[in-house]
Amino acid sequence: REAIDHIEGPVLVIAGPGTGKTQILSLRIGKILQETDAMAHNILCLTYTDAGAVAMRKRLLELIGSDAYRIHIHTFHSFCNAVINENREYFGGTFDLQPISELETVELYYKLIDNFPADNCLKKYTGDIYSNLPRLKALFDFIKKENIDPNLMMQMAEDYIASLPENPDYQYKKANAAKGIKVGDPKMSAINAEAEKMDNLKAALCEFQNYQRLLAEAQRYDFNDMINWVIEAFKRHEGLLAKYQERYLYFLVDEFQDTNGAQIEILNLLTAFWEAPNLFAVGDDD
């Protein structure tokens, strides 16, 4: 009741499964419509899954009737898709693209790996030459989901390697006079092994733009691209962002623990207009 009645400003509700998190979102929306001048279309509710959005709409229909159809209930992906479709002039040739299938994704990674230059440390000529595919995909998905600059990751990897000689975990704890080792000397074998891992990471990061180029050439995109397109457009075009900042007065987020860096950035941009935004989030801290 306290969370529902606290209409203005940010609110975080932490609760486990089966405790009524969807119900509290619905009741809060009803309270907003009952006690403020906000219209149904001034409320943006973001859920983690399509099933969550359907459940929310059904619950609201029971609670507030036909106004439930006017409330903007989306997953983060469907919200970004709506932004793109409403503002095609800001998104260039993205409308010629189709979402990539799982099979096409695998084929694209095969092509990427086949195109590795001979001096790429990830290039393999024997055994399973595509064994790095799962790790490449996981890395590229992580970059997109967390909205990370690959060049920043590259610099962080280089800084990490440079710091290893001063890292106590990579220094000898005991002296060995026979081998000329003093306490605090760097363990070069361990440092070189760690540097090799970072070299593999840097080689993979160098391939991220090549993967994006292959996606574009195939006229395909994945759903993580869609969120990052909207982030870029919001940052580049103040008028576009202002349009949505003015439209939405209340923000509600379900399953907040599952939001990733790119989704959080969408929220940050939308709510940046207010010093204390009306942002209501529910989640499970387990």
Side-chain angles (χ1 to χ4, degrees), residues 33-277:
L33 294 175
Q34 184 181 59
E35 297 199 358
T36 75
D37 293 331
M39 305 294 287
H41 63 266
N42 297 136
I43 299 171
L44 175 62
C45 184
L46 294 165
T47 68
Y48 189 64
T49 64
D50 290 327
V54 171
M56 175 66 65
R57 185 86 64 189
K58 183 178 179 181
R59 189 71 60 87
L60 283 169
L61 277 168
E62 297 170 355
L63 187 67
I64 64 174
S66 61
D67 266 353
Y69 290 112
R70 300 184 182 91
I71 293 167
H72 292 196
I73 304 174
H74 291 282
T75 64
F76 280 92
H77 289 105
S78 71
F79 170 73
C80 289
N81 188 51
V83 171
I84 292 170
N85 284 318
E86 289 175 9
N87 306 276
R88 297 195 172 203
E89 65 275 18
Y90 293 103
F91 294 93
T94 58
F95 301 97
D96 297 327
L97 307 182
Q98 297 294 324
I100 193 167
S101 68
E102 290 185 23
L103 177 59
E104 288 174 323
T105 298
V106 172
E107 291 174 342
L108 213 63
Y109 275 101
Y110 280 175
K111 188 173 183 180
L112 177 73
I113 292 169
D114 287 342
N115 290 340
F116 282 173
D119 60 350
N120 189 319
C121 59
L122 301 177
K123 185 85 170 179
K124 294 186 176 183
Y125 295 95
T126 59
D128 182 1
I129 63 173
Y130 301 113
S131 61
N132 281 315
L133 191 158
R135 281 182 287 182
L136 281 168
K137 185 178 185 307
L139 174 64
F140 295 171
D141 284 347
F142 175 77
I143 287 171
K144 293 182 181 186
K145 288 179 179 178
E146 300 302 333
N147 192 31
I148 293 175
D149 181 355
N151 293 322
L152 176 61
M153 287 188 74
M154 185 85 71
Q155 185 61 53
M156 290 173 70
E158 292 173 357
D159 292 344
Y160 171 65
I161 291 301
S163 74
L164 289 181
E166 306 300 323
N167 187 329
D169 292 336
Y170 291 85
Q171 294 174 348
Y172 286 100
K173 303 295 190 294
K174 295 181 180 180
N176 187 326
K179 294 184 178 181
I181 294 173
K182 301 176 184 177
V183 173
D185 282 352
K187 295 180 180 178
M188 293 312 301
S189 59
I191 289 174
N192 289 337
E194 195 71 4
E196 184 178 348
K197 293 179 184 177
M198 291 299 103
D199 287 340
N200 288 339
L201 172 61
K202 290 192 290 182
L205 289 168
C206 287
E207 294 298 326
F208 178 73
Q209 290 304 326
N210 290 332
Y211 175 73
Q212 290 298 94
R213 176 180 53 79
L214 289 174
L215 261 180
E217 289 175 357
Q219 294 190 309
R220 295 291 184 270
Y221 69 91
D222 65 34
F223 288 108
N224 296 315
D225 288 319
M226 198 159 52
I227 291 181
N228 289 313
W229 289 341
V230 172
I231 290 172
E232 184 179 346
F234 277 170
K235 289 181 175 179
R236 186 178 298 175
H237 305 288
E238 290 184 7
L240 176 64
L241 176 58
K243 172 181 175 180
Y244 291 92
Q245 288 177 333
E246 293 169 5
R247 175 184 296 177
Y248 298 120
L249 304 178
Y250 292 89
F251 304 86
L252 300 96
V253 186
D254 197 9
E255 304 294 353
F256 189 68
Q257 76 279 355
D258 290 325
T259 50
N260 59 43
Q263 293 166 341
I264 291 291
E265 184 64 11
I266 288 285
L267 273 177
N268 285 340
L269 289 165
L270 289 171
T271 61
F273 182 78
W274 295 273
E275 186 174 337

Side-chain angles (χ1 to χ4, degrees), residues 1 3-4 11-30 45-48 52-53 55-57 59-60 63 252-258 280-286:
R1 179 62 180 267
I4 292 165
V11 179
L12 174 64
V13 177
I14 300 172
T19 51
K21 293 195 292 291
T22 303
Q23 175 76 354
I24 202 173
L25 284 167
S26 304
L27 290 170
R28 180 176 173 82
I29 290 171
C45 184
L46 294 165
T47 68
Y48 189 64
M56 175 66 65
R57 185 86 64 189
R59 189 71 60 87
L60 283 169
L63 187 67
L252 300 96
V253 186
D254 197 9
E255 304 294 353
F256 189 68
Q257 76 279 355
D258 290 325
F280 184 88
V282 298
D284 184 350
D285 61 342
D286 184 359

